Amino acid sequence: MLLTIMAAVEGEERTNRQEIKLYGEGHEDDEAAHGLNRLLKWVMNQCGGEFALSDQFRSGAAVGEGWVTVDVDYFDDPDGLIKLVFVDDDEMFDDPLAKDPTSADSRYVHRVKMMADDEIEARWPGAKEKLHTRAFAAEAGPETDGSGSRDIYLTANDPKSPKVYDAQKKLWAVLETWWTQIEPGWVVVDEATGLLVEKTNEELEAMKMARAEEQRGFLRKLVDGSAAAEFNMASLAAEGAGLPPPPKPEMPKPLQAKQRPIKRVYQAFTSYECLLEKMASPLKELKRPPYVAFRALHDKVKGEWFGLLRPLMDPQRQHNVEQSAIVQLMQLMPKASWMGPKGVFHNKQEWEQKVAKPGQMLEYNASRGKPEQIRTPDIPRHLIDMALSRPQAMREICGVNVEMTGQRQGQDAGVVMEMRSKAAKTVLAPIFDNNRRSKKELGKVLLSFIQTYVSRGRRIRVLGEEGTQYVEMTEQMQLGRYDLVVEETNATLNDRIGTLNIMQTTLPSLLKEGVPIPAEFVDLLPMAPHIRDAMKRMVAWHNLSNGLEPPVGWQPGMPDPRTLPPPGEPVAPL
């Protein structure tokens, strides 16, 4: 029963996936946001990101917590391949004071990952010798293999506690920690974008020194006359080209900065009290750890998150007990017990072996009496009723009804099934809403990784519904700020069929009124991309040849260009 219920909830997420989209905060950022959306699709497609998100949802919906993180792999791609990775919740340890279901307000996040000696040595040269010297210098626990290596436990004399070193598998527990610190800093106006950026004291001093050098250079050019000569040459070149004159050179202005505490993120790797690496986060615009959590339901009394399995475990156990009791009673019914006076059974062994088999000839001592069968009690009716009603009770507890599992009750119509399925989704709305919130936070992490690790000018080949296209990382894409929106994607079959059902009722009405259908509507049809592209071109050609396409740049509210008067005459208002 638990498997069926969880499969129904997980199937709802898989068949109605949502995607992350970026929109520019200003009108000038819309074009850059379009390019970043293609890069987001590239990241999700080349690493199977949608499957990692489904694994995260399954873990969160089942046990209450699921994690994903973004990583950069330089082994598959020398330029750095951005990947979305699912993380087992058993590896994660979050700040207990965090309240956000996505772990956005966590002061620190730990991940414990088991690594072999060669992997540790490859990532941190010299760490292998340091670990073995410090860990095995003194008694640390009972020997578990023939080479003398010992298991080291976090808790003394507790073999069930997490191991720092597993001697049988030769694995070390490496602790990756991300934490935030509030430090003195500055807020500086970025002259390139006009936005506020945070700088540390050291970074501000470096910027001041660079600005002072620019000012001294300008004064030197002003004294020796080279600044005036460069301005005159630029003015003559602009005049010859018919361009407006260039602005006069000015002294570089001082930096606009204000002191204010800033939040900085750090990352460190440790193992058995050995610090392997510590550094500031390379993601300067990201003010949270890159590990994003999805959590289902919150227990305020215990202060913990839980999933659908916790309230269903006891009903499932009770259902198992009821089924086992019924099976046991059914097995006992043909094997009833017998009783009689001592010596009444002629051959006890024969009675034990043949009494439950039909057609057997058994003898008894009539002088001692006649054996009597001990009647097996009938299966209680209320036990059968409880066993039959338990699955329905489990579905009522979690909110997953029969229709959501894809089954049908009696002769219910399809419309009724659809309405009941939507009602079940309403009950589960808090879980899916938290999943949507988690994806919005993940979008911030993905955007920060793309702006940090995709170098300026790098061209990336993106495969989409429109075919193969190339996206070039621009300076505006790296510096711009964007709003995140999580929308349902039209890539799933259910969404396309739902859209097609709506189009079947709206398109005939529009065509009857003479409203032309734009060629873009073909993108919503559930068909192969090459057939969709051919039909899209045909619709566009039909509209163009019949004069149904509006002029380029025309917007609602503008006058009809076909009714405009000749040049020189006034235009009548709409």
Side-chain angles (χ1 to χ4, degrees):
M1 287 301 301
L2 292 182
L3 179 62
T4 304
I5 291 173
M6 288 308 307
V9 178
E10 184 183 355
E12 178 64 26
E13 187 274 336
R14 289 181 180 270
T15 55
N16 297 278
R17 285 195 172 106
Q18 297 175 329
E19 63 181 1
I20 304 168
K21 289 187 178 181
L22 301 171
Y23 295 93
E25 290 187 351
H27 179 71
E28 65 280 358
D29 294 328
D30 286 341
E31 184 177 353
H34 181 69
L36 285 173
N37 284 327
R38 294 183 177 274
L39 291 182
L40 278 176
K41 285 191 175 182
W42 168 74
V43 171
M44 300 297 288
N45 291 335
Q46 52 85 26
C47 70
E50 65 270 19
F51 304 113
L53 291 176
S54 294
D55 292 339
Q56 180 199 25
F57 179 83
R58 180 180 64 245
S59 177
V63 301
E65 189 172 291
W67 292 82
V68 291
T69 187
V70 185
D71 195 11
V72 182
D73 188 354
Y74 289 96
F75 295 103
D76 293 342
D77 189 344
D79 292 327
L81 194 61
I82 302 176
K83 291 184 175 182
L84 188 63
V85 183
F86 166 71
V87 183
D88 195 330
D89 63 289
D90 290 338
E91 299 180 5
M92 300 300 302
F93 299 87
D94 195 13
D95 180 8
L97 298 181
K99 303 298 183 183
D100 194 291
T102 65
S103 191
D105 59 344
S106 297
R107 299 170 300 167
Y108 57 86
V109 172
H110 300 296
R111 181 189 179 185
V112 180
K113 186 178 180 181
M114 305 303 291
M115 292 187 181
D117 283 336
D118 55 352
E119 185 179 358
I120 293 176
E121 185 66 22
R123 296 191 61 176
W124 302 284
K128 176 182 176 180
E129 182 179 358
K130 185 193 303 184
L131 282 173
H132 282 265
T133 301
R134 298 189 62 178
F136 303 132
E139 288 292 330
E143 292 188 3
T144 57
D145 64 353
S147 62
S149 298
R150 295 175 170 88
D151 278 342
I152 304 170
Y153 301 105
L154 293 177
T155 305
N157 302 323
D158 184 4
K160 295 183 180 180
S161 64
K163 297 178 182 178
V164 175
Y165 177 72
D166 189 338
Q168 292 182 343
K169 298 180 180 179
K170 301 293 188 291
L171 296 176
W172 291 90
V174 177
L175 183 67
E176 179 185 1
T177 304
W178 290 80
W179 74 97
T180 59
Q181 293 182 190
I182 305 299
E183 301 177 350
W186 296 80
V187 178
V188 186
V189 177
D190 189 346
E191 297 177 353
T193 61
L195 303 176
L196 296 177
V197 294
E198 295 179 346
K199 299 292 182 181
T200 62
N201 293 333
E202 295 77 10
E203 292 173 339
L204 181 65
E205 289 299 325
M207 293 179 65
K208 287 182 177 180
M209 293 177 61
R211 180 54 53 91
E213 184 62 30
E214 293 176 1
Q215 292 175 344
R216 287 193 293 269
F218 176 80
L219 292 176
R220 284 194 296 267
K221 288 184 178 181
L222 194 63
V223 171
D224 59 19
S226 59
E230 292 177 0
F231 175 73
N232 293 333
M233 293 180 62
S235 300
L236 292 174
E239 184 179 354
L243 299 176
K248 294 184 178 180
E250 298 180 354
M251 169 77 76
K253 298 180 180 179
L255 296 175
Q256 301 182 44
K258 183 178 181 181
Q259 192 171 14
R260 191 183 71 183
I262 61 175
K263 180 165 70 171
R264 299 196 67 193
V265 184
Y266 292 88
Q267 180 189 20
F269 293 89
T270 57
S271 181
Y272 194 70
E273 301 179 356
C274 293
L275 179 61
L276 304 177
E277 183 182 7
K278 177 185 176 182
M279 60 180 178
S281 172
L283 310 170
K284 295 184 177 180
E285 298 299 327
L286 188 64
K287 301 302 180 182
R288 57 155 298 156
Y291 287 89
V292 181
F294 157 62
R295 296 182 170 103
L297 305 170
H298 187 250
D299 186 343
K300 186 177 181 180
V301 177
K302 296 183 178 180
E304 61 185 18
W305 296 86
F306 66 95
L308 295 177
L309 291 186
R310 194 173 86 173
L312 294 178
M313 291 297 289
D314 286 340
Q316 177 69 73
R317 293 191 184 102
Q318 187 173 356
H319 182 65
N320 296 343
V321 171
E322 293 162 354
Q323 293 287 345
S324 300
I326 294 175
V327 172
Q328 184 180 15
L329 291 174
M330 292 175 61
Q331 290 174 340
L332 291 175
M333 290 178 67
K335 300 179 181 179
S337 301
W338 289 77
M339 66 178 179
K342 186 175 183 180
V344 70
F345 297 101
H346 181 71
N347 188 338
K348 284 186 177 181
Q349 257 186 339
E350 189 177 34
W351 276 78
E352 290 176 356
Q353 295 175 0
K354 297 181 179 181
V355 71
K357 298 179 181 179
Q360 299 298 318
M361 304 286 292
L362 299 173
E363 297 180 356
Y364 66 93
N365 191 349
S367 62
R368 296 294 181 95
K370 185 178 180 180
E372 295 182 11
Q373 186 180 18
I374 301 176
R375 186 173 180 274
T376 304
D378 297 333
I379 300 177
R381 181 63 188 176
H382 71 276
L383 183 61
I384 298 178
D385 294 340
M386 289 172 61
L388 294 177
S389 62
R390 192 67 56 199
Q392 179 62 27
M394 294 177 63
R395 286 192 288 264
E396 290 176 356
I397 290 173
C398 65
V400 178
N401 54 23
V402 177
E403 286 75 17
M404 192 171 180
T405 61
Q407 303 177 22
R408 187 173 183 175
Q409 296 187 30
Q411 300 297 324
D412 291 342
V415 178
V416 177
M417 292 181 60
E418 183 66 21
M419 293 177 62
R420 291 176 179 172
S421 179
K422 289 182 178 180
K425 297 174 187 176
T426 303
V427 178
L428 298 173
I431 295 178
F432 286 95
D433 198 51
N434 281 355
N435 184 44
R436 185 186 186 94
R437 185 174 180 178
S438 175
K439 287 185 178 180
K440 292 191 71 172
E441 286 296 322
L442 178 62
K444 299 178 183 179
V445 178
L446 285 169
L447 174 62
S448 181
F449 269 82
I450 290 175
Q451 292 180 328
T452 302
Y453 290 101
V454 179
S455 57
R456 192 177 305 169
R458 179 180 175 185
R459 299 180 74 246
I460 296 176
R461 182 170 176 262
V462 180
L463 293 175
E465 296 181 355
E466 295 82 9
T468 303
Q469 296 184 353
Y470 287 88
V471 180
E472 182 176 349
M473 191 66 178
T474 63
E475 181 180 5
Q476 187 178 4
M477 293 165 64
Q478 282 189 328
L479 300 178
R481 295 183 180 179
Y482 306 91
D483 293 327
L484 284 161
V485 176
V486 178
E487 298 178 349
E488 290 187 357
T489 176
N490 57 3
T492 62
L493 183 60
N494 286 2
D495 293 326
R496 290 184 179 274
I497 292 177
T499 304
L500 185 60
N501 291 334
I502 297 176
M503 291 169 58
Q504 287 177 343
T505 59
T506 57
L507 286 183
S509 301
L510 294 176
L511 293 173
K512 187 177 180 179
E513 296 295 331
V515 179
I517 305 301
E520 287 75 13
F521 93 94
V522 182
D523 293 332
L524 302 175
L525 297 178
M527 58 178 61
H530 66 282
I531 300 178
R532 190 162 57 244
D533 293 341
M535 182 176 290
K536 190 175 180 180
R537 288 194 297 269
M538 293 177 63
V539 174
W541 173 255
H542 176 269
N543 291 342
L544 183 63
S545 59
N546 289 275
L548 301 177
E549 288 284 344
V552 178
W554 184 86
Q555 295 293 335
M558 295 182 180
D560 188 349
R562 295 171 298 183
T563 61
L564 288 177
E569 297 185 11
V571 179
L574 292 176

